[in-house]
Amino acid sequence: MFAHIALFSPPYTTLTYELPPCFPAAFWQPGLRVAVPLGRGALRAGVLLGTETAVALPPGVTCKRLAWPLETTPLLSGDLLALARDLASRQGLGVGSVLGHVLPQGLRLTRIRLRELGGEAAAPREGRTWSLHDICAAPEAEQARLAEALLNGRARLLPPGTDAAEEERCRLLTDPPWPVRPSAARQIAILDLLHERGSVSRRQLARDLPGSAAALRALLTAGLVELVQAADEDREGEELLPPPPAPFALNAAQQAALSDMTGALDAAQPATRLLYGVTGSGKTAVYLELARHCLAHGRSVLLLAPEVALAHKLRRDAAQVLPHVPVYLYHGYQTPRRREELFRALARHDGPCLVVGTRSALFLPLPDLGCVILDEEHDTSFKQDEGLPYQAKEVAWFRVGLRKGLLVLGSATPDIKTFYAVEQGKLAMLSLPQRVGGRPLPPVELVDIGPLSCRPQDSGLLAPQSEAALREVVARGEQAVVLLNRRGYAPLMFCQDCKSTLKCPHCQIGLAYHKGREKLVCHYCGFSLPFPSPCPSCKSMSFLPLGEGTEKLAESLSVLAGGPVLRLDRDSTRRPGHMEEILAAFARRESPLLVGTQMLSKGHHFPGVTLVVVADGDLGLNLPDYRAAERTFQLLVQSAGRAGRGEMPGRVLIQTGDAAHYCWQYVREGDYEGFYAEELARRRKYAYPPFVRLALVRLSFAVDDGRGQERLGAAGKLLREAAGREGVRLLGPAPAPLAVLRGRRRFHCLLKGADWRGIRQVFAALVRDKEAVHLRPFLDLDPVNML
């Protein structure tokens, strides 16, 4: 017999192998992970897709024999294989490439051992342990004996032994600046690495920073770093989260939405619902009651959040509302070992369960998946645009379709394409038009700060009207949130001698000044320089920080607040558990003001907040992206929803230098449907989604590639010819908005077509050209990142 095996690692192809005769034919089931030889004897992991009794081989060609199974029963379900095939066909990839990008790392490796058991399997005594290499080197008779022992329970396959250094995570205990001597370079390197990544295993730290053991011991002794077990991080900081809202009965709108969704779920037909509810309308309560119903009927539920912090909050809320249900948490920041354990546990689980997580949880083997819920479905984090590109909504729709389940998309500001599907009758919508308790939405006021060129040179980021409103809030003992979607102390550092801004040498993008770390940092590739240090161009030390980030804004507002101001952004929350500490401190009213980036806009409940100030409402409006206005509207409406969620009424101030922009009238009124109609008309006029299929082709080459421009020209000609044949409109190639990134020159092509097939054919023509492949082409269907 022969088997078709999809490899989990490059070249990610599907190959045919002869099956070893020591296992019966019925043993080889689709979804079984196996080890196969490739090249000069190296063993690779793959998945069995199917078997055949005979294959036609060219003369003189023989099939290599499959080495050994990595498990005795398939770990990958039929649903996951079907999903991998669907994604592979969408992206023009192999099944192995899809699985190689989404499976936990340990499941893509061949590290197993076989332990022979003495006596009954239930009471094993010490026996011989075989490595995979030893099994492959054994005579066929010995392999047959081991196979029989494995099938009859006298042997078992063991995963790799526990690596203590891999299971121990190093994490920061304090934020910068750190009390470390400038000469302690290794200690500073460890602190910087942990600040960038949040937490790292002791083994990974040793790999990334060889010879750092002594420096790590010094940091542990000084109390700047601690070691924790990886399993302890799953609920890290949940005890610090603000208390969940008190239980309450669903109002009429919530109950009507729940009844509709439970009816759709019970109909046993694939269904999708948009839960369109204003901020604070109680969508989470509806999600959890729907989960209760689905679980009670013996079906599993997947609840997805756009961020890890919100996933933690949802997991805690779910555990309180559904105390007797298995609730799992899964996200990309967990250790590889932890993600593998959860995958295996769910593959073995035979009853209904609830999984809360981020988009990667879509590839878990949940038993009888009945319902998938995407909270904040409009959020761009649900689109994966690197490695294996996919849209979580499409993957979720495919998964519920396999099991005739229900997909729920929840948002106060739905994606334009989602709302258009409702308008076209392809998707049913349920509305929650009022906040829980009947509280009104806060009034939104625009603060016209005029064009940048007309502002006084010494003016601060906040207008006098905004500062006055903040002072009033502080004087009344209330709380306010200030949103600035720009982290760091200053976005640019200007050399006053050579009149230039300091830029990243790899990306040609301005370096942002981070005062706490005393560094200039590139927010794209991570390159950093200590500050102060001489200007690379003129060696001067005369610098002027330009602009204002959250770090500087929080510092300047501390005078107004009469004490420290809390800050919530990517930099202040890198330390595990620190986000929860910040939110808990704000809930305890340790500071009247909280400054942060767009992280503040998503799902947080601040009952004491009566004022929201958006410091730079125009920041995203002028990006070269057809979704710029939509994203700005979504961000500001979501941010405005943080005010007035308690007993006191709220107020929202949005600073803008372009008060005439059409977006503001709809933001001010919280009028999503009005904005939708305006934006839809513009997209129809300029032929953008949902009226066309749009794809972005990214082409890049090394900055020192002498033939890069020549290859780019040839690729452009090839694309134009293929687009003409397929009836696809091609724009480009043109320099990307971020023209140089990580040492590569970047170019974009936009493809507009009536269907995805034509667009895929155009890209396939490019990939088939060997010269063009040197440009590193990448296809992003329905892109959300146009930079």
Side-chain angles (χ1 to χ4, degrees):
M1 285 187 65
F2 298 85
H4 303 297
I5 309 299
L7 300 180
F8 294 150
S9 56
Y12 294 119
T13 189
T14 297
L15 301 174
T16 301
Y17 288 86
E18 183 185 0
L19 289 172
C22 52
F23 288 92
F27 174 81
W28 304 105
Q29 298 295 320
L32 193 75
R33 294 181 310 120
V34 297
V36 294
L38 188 68
R40 298 184 178 180
L43 292 179
R44 301 285 192 91
V47 61
L48 191 152
L49 299 180
T51 59
E52 289 188 63
T53 54
V55 295
L57 297 174
V61 174
T62 60
C63 256
K64 288 188 176 182
R65 181 172 291 181
L66 184 147
W68 199 256
L70 298 177
E71 58 215 10
T72 54
T73 56
L75 191 66
L76 306 185
S77 66
D79 286 5
L80 286 184
L81 290 183
L83 175 59
R85 288 190 176 97
D86 180 70
L87 268 177
S89 66
R90 287 170 183 256
Q91 296 295 331
L93 301 171
V95 172
S97 179
V98 172
L99 294 172
H101 280 91
V102 302
L103 290 179
Q105 181 182 5
L107 301 182
R108 295 179 268 132
L109 303 175
T110 59
R111 297 179 304 169
I112 63 156
R113 297 165 296 153
L114 185 143
R115 168 72 62 84
E116 290 192 78
L117 306 176
E120 295 296 326
R125 63 174 184 262
E126 196 67 19
R128 178 175 175 182
T129 299
W130 295 70
S131 70
L132 197 54
H133 176 77
D134 292 338
I135 295 173
C136 294
E140 284 198 16
E142 189 72 351
Q143 290 185 9
R145 186 185 67 81
L146 293 175
E148 183 184 6
L150 185 63
L151 295 173
N152 293 329
R154 298 195 303 275
R156 60 178 174 175
L157 294 171
L158 305 176
T162 300
D163 181 353
E166 190 67 52
E167 292 301 297
E168 286 183 334
R169 307 283 289 181
C170 306
R171 69 175 187 181
L172 283 174
L173 287 175
T174 61
D175 294 322
W178 299 295
V180 177
R181 299 188 314 275
S183 59
R186 289 190 181 277
Q187 293 184 31
I188 293 173
I190 292 174
L191 292 169
D192 280 339
L193 186 144
L194 295 179
H195 187 266
E196 285 295 323
R197 301 191 194 174
S199 70
V200 173
S201 73
R202 190 158 54 86
R203 177 72 65 205
Q204 187 63 46
L205 185 68
R207 284 195 290 263
D208 292 344
L209 299 174
S212 59
L216 177 61
R217 286 195 295 272
L219 293 172
L220 291 168
T221 302
L224 300 178
V225 174
E226 71 171 348
L227 292 177
V228 296
Q229 291 297 314
D232 297 340
E233 291 194 327
D234 266 11
R235 301 190 181 186
E236 181 66 49
E238 284 190 7
E239 71 281 357
L240 298 173
L241 287 170
F248 61 89
L250 298 184
N251 60 31
Q254 289 172 310
Q255 190 60 56
L258 178 63
S259 298
D260 180 278
M261 289 188 286
T262 55
L265 190 62
D266 295 342
Q269 292 295 326
T272 306
R273 295 290 187 272
L274 170 64
L275 184 60
Y276 170 44
V278 299
T279 55
S281 59
K283 292 186 290 294
T284 301
V286 177
Y287 299 154
L288 296 180
E289 289 304 314
L290 175 63
R292 187 198 304 274
H293 177 89
C294 187
L295 292 161
H297 285 70
R299 308 191 71 183
S300 295
V301 179
L302 180 57
L303 175 54
L304 300 182
E307 288 185 353
V308 173
L310 295 181
H312 274 284
K313 178 179 178 296
L314 287 172
R315 194 220 65 84
R316 188 227 24 210
D317 294 349
Q320 289 188 340
V321 173
L322 307 167
H324 305 299
V325 172
V327 179
Y328 297 89
L329 179 70
Y330 188 92
H331 56 79
Y333 288 101
Q334 292 169 314
T335 65
R337 181 64 178 267
R338 180 60 181 155
R339 293 199 296 274
E340 181 183 346
E341 288 174 350
L342 287 168
F343 193 100
R344 291 181 181 276
L346 288 167
R348 293 191 303 265
H349 198 83
D350 58 0
C353 61
L354 171 63
V355 174
V356 180
T358 51
R359 65 174 181 250
S360 58
L362 278 164
F363 299 95
L364 291 173
L366 277 78
D368 194 9
L369 180 60
C371 183
V372 179
I373 303 167
L374 271 69
D375 189 28
E376 310 292 0
E377 67 89 24
H378 65 275
D379 199 278
T380 57
S381 66
F382 283 124
K383 173 66 186 295
Q384 167 73 30
D385 56 9
E386 293 183 0
L388 171 70
Y390 66 88
Q391 170 58 259
K393 283 181 279 194
E394 294 178 357
V395 175
W397 178 83
F398 184 86
R399 289 214 65 177
V400 298
L402 289 173
R403 292 287 168 173
K404 298 182 179 180
L406 173 67
L407 171 61
V408 177
L409 308 174
S411 178
T413 54
D415 185 292
I416 291 287
K417 296 191 300 297
T418 302
F419 210 79
Y420 183 73
V422 171
E423 192 177 71
Q424 296 298 302
K426 298 177 181 178
L427 176 63
M429 184 177 76
L430 307 167
S431 295
L432 301 179
Q434 292 185 330
R435 284 184 160 187
V436 171
R439 302 183 187 97
L441 289 169
V444 177
E445 306 168 37
L446 292 183
V447 179
D448 191 349
I449 55 178
L452 182 62
S453 58
C454 300
R455 299 174 201 168
Q457 191 170 2
D458 58 348
S459 64
L461 183 64
L462 295 181
Q465 181 180 341
S466 302
E467 287 195 4
L470 288 170
R471 291 183 191 279
E472 292 173 8
V473 165
V474 172
R476 293 196 300 265
E478 299 168 1
Q479 290 182 294
V481 164
V482 182
L483 178 76
L484 175 62
N485 205 18
R486 187 167 54 223
R487 59 193 175 98
Y489 190 84
L492 297 172
M493 189 62 70
F494 180 74
C495 176
Q496 300 186 82
D497 286 352
C498 65
K499 310 301 181 185
S500 64
T501 56
L502 301 189
K503 293 184 177 180
C504 171
H506 310 296
C507 303
Q508 294 302 301
I509 292 171
L511 295 171
Y513 175 42
H514 290 250
K515 186 176 182 181
R517 297 175 62 191
E518 296 181 332
K519 284 185 180 294
L520 298 170
V521 180
C522 174
H523 288 168
Y524 290 90
C525 73
F527 172 82
S528 65
L529 286 173
F531 186 83
S533 57
C535 171
S537 299
C538 68
K539 309 304 179 186
S540 167
M541 296 286 285
S542 179
F543 296 107
L544 177 68
L546 297 180
E548 195 163 339
T550 49
E551 190 177 0
K552 185 177 180 181
L553 181 59
E555 180 184 278
S556 62
L557 285 176
S558 61
V559 177
L560 184 150
V565 170
L566 294 168
R567 177 166 59 93
L568 191 75
D569 57 25
R570 185 177 173 185
D571 298 313
S572 67
T573 58
R574 291 184 189 275
R575 179 160 57 85
H578 199 207
M579 171 181 275
E580 292 77 13
E581 292 173 12
I582 295 168
L583 295 174
F586 194 56
R588 293 193 299 269
R589 296 178 177 266
E590 293 182 11
S591 174
L593 303 182
L594 176 62
V595 173
T597 58
Q598 63 180 356
M599 296 172 66
L600 284 174
S601 69
K602 300 176 183 178
H604 300 296
H605 182 68
F606 305 126
V609 169
T610 59
L611 175 66
V612 168
V613 175
V614 180
D616 194 347
D618 305 324
L619 193 58
L621 268 182
N622 298 312
L623 291 175
D625 188 336
Y626 78 95
R627 284 188 172 104
E630 178 185 5
R631 288 182 180 172
T632 299
F633 177 86
Q634 289 166 339
L635 173 64
L636 297 183
V637 170
Q638 294 280 346
S639 301
R642 301 312 109 197
R645 296 171 75 97
E647 297 301 323
M648 296 173 289
R651 180 187 181 195
V652 181
L653 300 179
I654 298 177
Q655 299 188 165
T656 174
D658 183 13
H661 195 282
Y662 72 90
C663 176
W664 299 126
Q665 62 176 313
Y666 304 111
V667 172
R668 190 165 48 235
E669 299 166 6
D671 182 7
Y672 172 82
E673 293 177 41
F675 173 78
Y676 164 80
E678 173 95 20
E679 185 68 11
L680 199 69
R682 292 172 182 268
R683 294 195 187 179
R684 181 182 284 109
K685 179 179 179 180
Y686 296 110
Y688 278 105
F691 301 104
V692 298
R693 303 295 190 190
L694 180 70
L696 178 65
V697 176
R698 296 183 175 93
L699 301 169
S700 70
F701 56 85
V703 293
D704 57 356
D705 184 352
R707 295 191 58 198
Q709 289 291 345
E710 176 189 341
R711 288 179 174 135
L712 180 68
K717 180 180 178 182
L718 189 153
L719 284 169
R720 283 189 290 274
E721 292 173 352
R725 289 193 302 271
E726 298 294 335
V728 171
R729 185 181 177 191
L730 172 70
L731 304 176
L738 300 178
V740 178
L741 210 60
R742 300 181 182 94
R744 299 185 68 83
R745 297 196 185 278
R746 307 168 73 245
F747 296 83
H748 283 176
C749 298
L750 280 181
L751 300 176
K752 295 182 177 181
D755 54 51
W756 292 124
R757 188 204 64 80
I759 289 174
R760 291 191 182 100
Q761 289 298 322
V762 173
F763 184 72
L766 177 68
V767 172
R768 286 193 296 267
D769 185 271
K770 293 184 178 179
E771 280 295 300
V773 170
H774 288 286
L775 292 173
R776 195 181 290 178
F778 182 84
L779 176 65
D780 189 359
L781 301 175
D782 193 20
V784 299
N785 179 6
M786 306 289 283
L787 299 180

